[in-house]
Amino acid sequence: MTRVAIVGCGVVGSSWALVFARAGLQVTVWDAIPAAVEQTLAFVKSGAKALDQQGLGNGESVDAITARLTGCATLEDALDGVDYVQESAPERVEIKRELYRKLDSLAAPHVVLASSTSGLPASSFTEELANRARCLVVHPINPPHLIPLVELVPAPWTRPEIVDEAAALMEKIGQSPIRLSREINGFVVNRLQSALLGEAFRLVEDGLCSAADVDKAVADGLGLRWFFMGPFETIDLNAASGVAEYCRNLGPMYYGLAKEQADPREWGPALVKEVESQRRTVTTAGALPARRAWRDRCLAAFVAAKRRVMSAEGT
Amino acid sequence: MTRVAIVGCGVVGSSWALVFARAGLQVTVWDAIPAAVEQTLAFVKSGAKALDQQGLGNGESVDAITARLTGCATLEDALDGVDYVQESAPERVEIKRELYRKLDSLAAPHVVLASSTSGLPASSFTEELANRARCLVVHPINPPHLIPLVELVPAPWTRPEIVDEAAALMEKIGQSPIRLSREINGFVVNRLQSALLGEAFRLVEDGLCSAADVDKAVADGLGLRWFFMGPFETIDLNAASGVAEYCRNLGPMYYGLAKEQADPREWGPALVKEVESQRRTVTTAGALPARRAWRDRCLAAFVAAKRRVMSAEGT
């Protein structure tokens, strides 16, 4: 049975601790700031309780889940006997470099060192390590205890077996891993989001429609399919014989649009001010915290609904 | 009470007939092919029944809904006494031009002429009409009885009051209208889809990841939020003080990605063949119809879940 160390106890590390513990794994928890460890232990308790209430529990008691966690006073203790480290330290390359020097020297040679970083390639902080071939990025979408997608991104020197091992672990604990063949800015998720955001800002900057209308186009339109099908499956099912027919019919139209969308734009001060001002008429600054709570409730409810439907469908 | 004519009885027109009838409006139905009218009447009956079974009914009997429909043998009959025409004829400009000549001469002057076209601007088939100021595009996402988003796109000569009227009608019948300020290729929805698809194909062409992994990135990641929040609300809630702070922190990163994504690409034969071949390992050609039925069941189930959650949230 895999044993896991959580290194770095912020929002992301805390959610990871819940993900691993609810999946039945023993989890050690460490942070450079001892109080952060306590926060993670408290988060797993409240998070497991919330999942139960949201219809997302695994049938176990909260105590059974939290009993798998061990807060550690030292990094050495946290790494003792583990097979996999999920690191979620601050997103600064010098912090990661220093931390990975310690991790690489303290962790047994077989231990996978996985970083939650969203922006730094593993090559930027593992190059000089003796055992750098066991390092990779395992990037979650926050919060991983609700959103299953994780991006596995190897450095040029990551051994393929390490990626296999991380992928198998993610599948086993109920996450949804995807594999990138190499490092690339933004990985896959932020590149896709960038493409959509780029056009969203372009439409508002050009006065075509309001930011609220762009949001409706997604939340009341495109997003209803993207919730359970990706863009390729969507178009594949939209032509009688599949995606090749779709591309034959509509490829030229999309190429025309792509050429119109090929002007990368900075989100300049006037545009940002305009979007900010439009957003504040929908949700005032004071109402943002309540709206975030709304978002979190909705996300949990929809993840639960998706699990029910997909389970009934057997997919 | 608004009375509506459905002109053109394909898949889109049939779904529109259900949308208007379930909202309590009287609906006349006409198509150049009489048998198509019968198909629409049959579709509304089966569709209303299916909505009931999917938890998406409005509490009325199927008979009460279908009683509001009147199949018409002539266009004159269909237009008699109506206030609004939803035209869903084939997507060929010469067909629309000829049809709008008839519609403009037969419909009373106050009647709104709305086209379901996804690709033709209203200016391309209404320019020479005596009363062209009452014409616009009211473009649904298929099927409108499940997906509420509609795009309202005026021609340069469309009177603003006509757009107001169409928007008010769409709100009244429970659709979610957005307003474009002017005609643009792809409107908003296909431009957003184009941006995402462009990056999806780019990632596969460049060997970064598989088509299935791009689909996972959306269906198990980004799409979980886009199901109920658009891209602007998503980023607005992702920084403590809102979207301006988000843009300050991440704008430069996204601008960097946008520059990398600014090479519009044709979906060439080799790329399309590769995607087709990857898709056929996930869903064989023979399994496509069953997968479409799966998609339709899932879509209905998720729309029902969204309605329940949003209604409980009061949003």
Side-chain angles (χ1 to χ4, degrees):
Chain A
M1 173 57 74
T2 310
R3 294 164 61 98
V4 172
I6 296 295
V7 170
C9 290
V11 172
V12 175
S14 296
S15 176
W16 269 125
L18 175 53
V19 167
F20 289 113
R22 77 174 170 193
L25 306 190
Q26 294 295 321
V27 182
T28 57
V29 180
W30 178 82
D31 192 283
I33 300 164
V37 174
E38 295 307 315
Q39 280 168 16
T40 289
L41 300 181
F43 172 82
V44 171
K45 194 167 178 177
S46 63
K49 204 167 156 186
L51 287 177
D52 259 349
Q53 288 163 352
Q54 291 153 344
L56 286 164
N58 63 358
E60 280 190 310
S61 72
V62 171
D63 285 348
I65 293 171
T66 54
R68 299 200 186 95
L69 297 176
T70 308
C72 297
T74 67
L75 184 55
E76 288 83 342
D77 285 353
L79 298 178
D80 185 36
V82 306
D83 310 290
Y84 179 94
V85 173
Q86 185 71 44
E87 167 273 313
S88 310
E91 290 279 65
R92 284 168 49 201
V93 72
E94 61 276 24
I95 291 178
K96 301 242 192 229
R97 269 196 201 126
E98 174 61 23
L99 179 57
Y100 275 78
R101 265 195 290 271
K102 287 182 193 159
L103 289 170
D104 194 46
S105 69
L106 292 171
H110 78 283
V111 177
V112 176
L113 302 183
S115 176
S116 300
T117 179
S118 66
L120 301 169
S123 60
S124 68
F125 52 84
T126 65
E127 185 168 11
E128 294 172 11
L129 303 181
N131 194 353
R132 65 187 189 176
R134 50 136 146 212
C135 299
L136 82 168
V137 166
V138 175
H139 172 231
I141 312 300
N142 204 36
H145 68 275
L146 289 177
I147 301 188
L149 198 275
V150 282
E151 303 184 274
L152 309 190
V153 192
W157 43 78
T158 306
R159 269 192 297 127
E161 297 74 23
I162 294 291
V163 185
D164 293 343
E165 203 176 317
L169 177 62
M170 289 298 127
E171 296 275 8
K172 183 174 138 190
I173 64 174
Q175 301 300 107
S176 176
I178 66 172
R179 289 158 177 254
L180 280 68
S181 62
R182 60 180 186 274
E183 295 178 335
I184 185 173
N185 289 326
F187 309 149
V188 166
V189 166
N190 277 333
R191 291 184 80 85
L192 292 169
Q193 179 158 244
S194 165
L196 194 79
L197 278 174
E199 182 59 19
F201 276 95
R202 185 181 289 110
L203 287 164
V204 173
E205 184 163 42
D206 292 349
L208 256 301
C209 67
S210 67
D213 277 357
V214 169
D215 276 355
K216 275 193 195 178
V218 173
D220 293 337
L222 291 161
L224 301 188
R225 289 220 169 84
W226 289 341
F227 181 63
F228 67 103
M229 292 187 298
F232 285 114
E233 178 153 39
T234 298
I235 65 174
D236 192 38
L237 299 182
N238 259 347
S241 71
V243 65
E245 179 185 341
Y246 185 94
C247 291
R248 248 191 330 273
N249 295 340
L250 293 171
M253 184 273 282
Y254 281 114
Y255 184 49
L257 294 180
K259 284 189 280 192
E260 293 181 16
Q261 298 172 318
D263 59 327
R265 304 210 190 152
E266 280 189 278
W267 302 342
L271 175 58
V272 170
K273 198 174 165 190
E274 173 61 28
V275 170
E276 167 79 14
S277 137
Q278 289 190 28
R279 281 295 311 157
R280 293 291 74 77
T281 66
V282 180
T283 306
T284 62
L288 281 170
R291 190 68 174 172
R292 279 191 204 101
W294 167 88
R295 171 197 65 191
D296 294 344
R297 286 194 306 273
C298 288
L299 182 62
F302 294 135
V303 168
K306 187 169 176 183
R307 204 173 288 185
R308 279 193 303 272
V309 171
M310 291 310 193
S311 157
E313 286 287 345
T315 47
Chain B
M1 175 56 75
T2 310
R3 295 164 62 98
V4 171
I6 297 295
V7 170
C9 290
V11 172
V12 174
S14 296
S15 176
W16 269 125
L18 174 53
V19 167
F20 289 114
R22 77 174 170 193
L25 307 189
Q26 294 294 320
V27 182
T28 56
V29 179
W30 179 82
D31 192 282
I33 301 163
V37 174
E38 294 308 315
Q39 280 168 17
T40 288
L41 301 181
F43 172 82
V44 171
K45 194 167 178 175
S46 63
K49 204 167 156 184
L51 287 178
D52 259 350
Q53 288 163 350
Q54 291 153 345
L56 285 163
N58 62 359
E60 282 190 310
S61 71
V62 172
D63 284 349
I65 292 172
T66 54
R68 300 200 186 95
L69 298 176
T70 309
C72 297
T74 67
L75 184 54
E76 288 82 343
D77 285 351
L79 297 178
D80 185 35
V82 307
D83 310 291
Y84 179 94
V85 174
Q86 186 71 44
E87 167 272 313
S88 311
E91 291 279 66
R92 285 168 47 201
V93 73
E94 61 277 23
I95 291 178
K96 301 245 191 226
R97 269 197 200 125
E98 175 62 23
L99 178 58
Y100 275 78
R101 266 196 289 271
K102 289 182 191 156
L103 289 170
D104 195 46
S105 69
L106 292 171
H110 78 284
V111 178
V112 177
L113 303 183
S115 176
S116 300
T117 179
S118 66
L120 301 169
S123 59
S124 68
F125 52 83
T126 65
E127 185 168 11
E128 293 172 11
L129 303 181
N131 195 353
R132 63 186 189 176
R134 48 132 148 218
C135 299
L136 81 168
V137 166
V138 174
H139 172 231
I141 312 299
N142 205 36
H145 69 275
L146 288 178
I147 300 187
L149 198 273
V150 282
E151 303 184 273
L152 309 190
V153 192
W157 42 78
T158 307
R159 269 193 298 127
E161 297 74 25
I162 294 291
V163 185
D164 292 343
E165 203 175 319
L169 177 62
M170 289 298 128
E171 296 275 6
K172 182 174 138 189
I173 64 174
Q175 302 300 107
S176 176
I178 66 173
R179 289 159 176 254
L180 279 68
S181 61
R182 60 181 185 273
E183 295 178 334
I184 184 173
N185 289 326
F187 309 149
V188 166
V189 165
N190 277 334
R191 291 184 80 84
L192 292 170
Q193 179 159 244
S194 165
L196 194 79
L197 278 174
E199 182 58 19
F201 276 94
R202 186 180 290 112
L203 287 165
V204 173
E205 184 163 43
D206 292 349
L208 257 300
C209 66
S210 67
D213 277 357
V214 169
D215 276 355
K216 275 193 195 178
V218 173
D220 292 336
L222 290 161
L224 301 189
R225 290 220 169 84
W226 289 341
F227 181 63
F228 66 104
M229 291 188 298
F232 285 114
E233 177 153 40
T234 298
I235 65 174
D236 191 36
L237 299 182
N238 258 347
S241 70
V243 66
E245 179 185 341
Y246 185 94
C247 292
R248 249 191 329 273
N249 294 340
L250 294 171
M253 185 273 283
Y254 282 114
Y255 183 49
L257 293 180
K259 285 189 282 190
E260 292 181 19
Q261 298 172 316
D263 59 326
R265 305 212 191 151
E266 281 189 278
W267 303 342
L271 175 58
V272 169
K273 198 173 164 190
E274 172 61 27
V275 170
E276 167 79 15
S277 138
Q278 288 191 29
R279 281 296 311 158
R280 292 292 73 76
T281 66
V282 180
T283 306
T284 62
L288 281 171
R291 190 68 176 172
R292 278 191 204 100
W294 166 88
R295 172 198 63 191
D296 295 344
R297 287 193 307 273
C298 287
L299 183 62
F302 294 135
V303 168
K306 187 170 177 182
R307 202 173 288 184
R308 280 193 303 271
V309 170
M310 290 311 193
S311 157
E313 285 287 344
T315 47

